[in-house]
Amino acid sequence: MGIKLGVNIDHVATVRQARKDINPDPIEAARVALSSGADMIVMHIRGDRRHIQEDDLERIRKEVKCYVHLEMAANADMKNIALKYKPDSICIVPEKPAEVTTEGGLNFKDKSMIREIEKVIKAASDNGIGVSLFVDPNADDVRMGYKLGVDTIELCTRKYAESWGSKNQASELERIQLASYLVKELNMSLHSGHGLDYYNVKPVADIEGMECLNIGFSIISRAIFVGLKNAVSEMKELID
Ligand code: PXP
């Protein structure tokens, strides 16, 4: 079975929000992505609503029949949003107001954050919503994810992506490989994402047991030049 491709449509909404217009419409982008090989649609609703809006969640649920994966911080507001719009699954990610994008995996040293994560995991699971945790590729954090009781880990590939072409590239890839083995050994589903593009994706896709890659920025960027249909189908071909 091939690797699933989750296409993150946040940055279609980023362009729309630049004018606070109705175009480009992320829901239309979801339709094109799905008909071009995407297995699911990924959306990250941020506290500052810089791209995806609640209305987008409502519309994708009403207007498109597809698997929706919602990335969100662990707090009461986001928990309520997840319970209201009922995505098929959520990924709990850390969120800092001033960050340009998610900077890394969850910080399990923050005990109050762990309590918030536990509340979100329970609420989502009680409502039939799948839960994954966005985790840095190291054994301690993967084990912590396992202890928290989720069945899916999404390994953060940001450092690997940033190391592409540098002397750290091989060691960053190795970190992801080792963490992947542990995820599989603990019988959890293995997903990865962040910063993956048409150059760096193959070694991650080749990791044994990889089930799903969530990719946004590179696909939407490429779509400007080749169209979304081609950008999605090229990526799907690369990871299959
Ligand atoms: N996975 C997670 C958990 C993320 O937070 C993001 C960014 O929203 C992605 C994947 C996609 O990252 P990128 O847009 O760099 O492909």
Side-chain angles (χ1 to χ4, degrees), residues 8 10-11 44 71 91 93 101-102 134 154 193-196 214-217:
N8 181 315
D10 290 354
H11 296 302
H44 183 172
E71 296 168 351
C91 180
V93 301
T101 179
T102 314
F134 193 48
E154 178 171 340
H194 211 296
L196 296 176
N214 293 323
I215 307 178
F217 190 74

Side-chain angles (χ1 to χ4, degrees), residues 4-72:
K4 287 193 174 138
L5 174 62
V7 173
N8 181 315
I9 55 170
D10 290 354
H11 296 302
V12 178
T14 301
V15 177
R16 179 194 60 191
Q17 292 310 106
R19 283 279 173 102
K20 304 255 190 308
D21 202 332
I22 55 169
N23 289 309
D25 181 6
I27 307 308
E28 189 54 27
R31 286 196 192 93
V32 174
L34 291 161
S35 67
S36 312
D39 296 286
M40 60 193 219
I41 296 302
V42 184
M43 302 160 101
H44 183 172
I45 185 150
R46 285 184 162 270
D48 63 10
R49 304 292 193 274
R50 68 176 74 157
H51 36 58
I52 296 296
Q53 310 294 307
E54 277 194 56
D55 183 55
D56 296 319
L57 299 182
E58 186 169 345
R59 285 186 56 220
I60 196 146
R61 269 323 198 193
K62 279 196 184 141
E63 297 176 26
V64 188
K65 234 186 162 133
C66 70
Y67 189 105
V68 175
H69 180 67
L70 182 67
E71 296 168 351
M72 49 175 260

Side-chain angles (χ1 to χ4, degrees), residues 65-86:
K65 234 186 162 133
C66 70
Y67 189 105
V68 175
H69 180 67
L70 182 67
E71 296 168 351
M72 49 175 260
N75 59 48
D77 282 353
M78 289 300 158
K79 184 181 75 184
N80 292 338
I81 285 174
L83 297 186
K84 183 169 177 189
Y85 299 106
K86 294 224 166 58

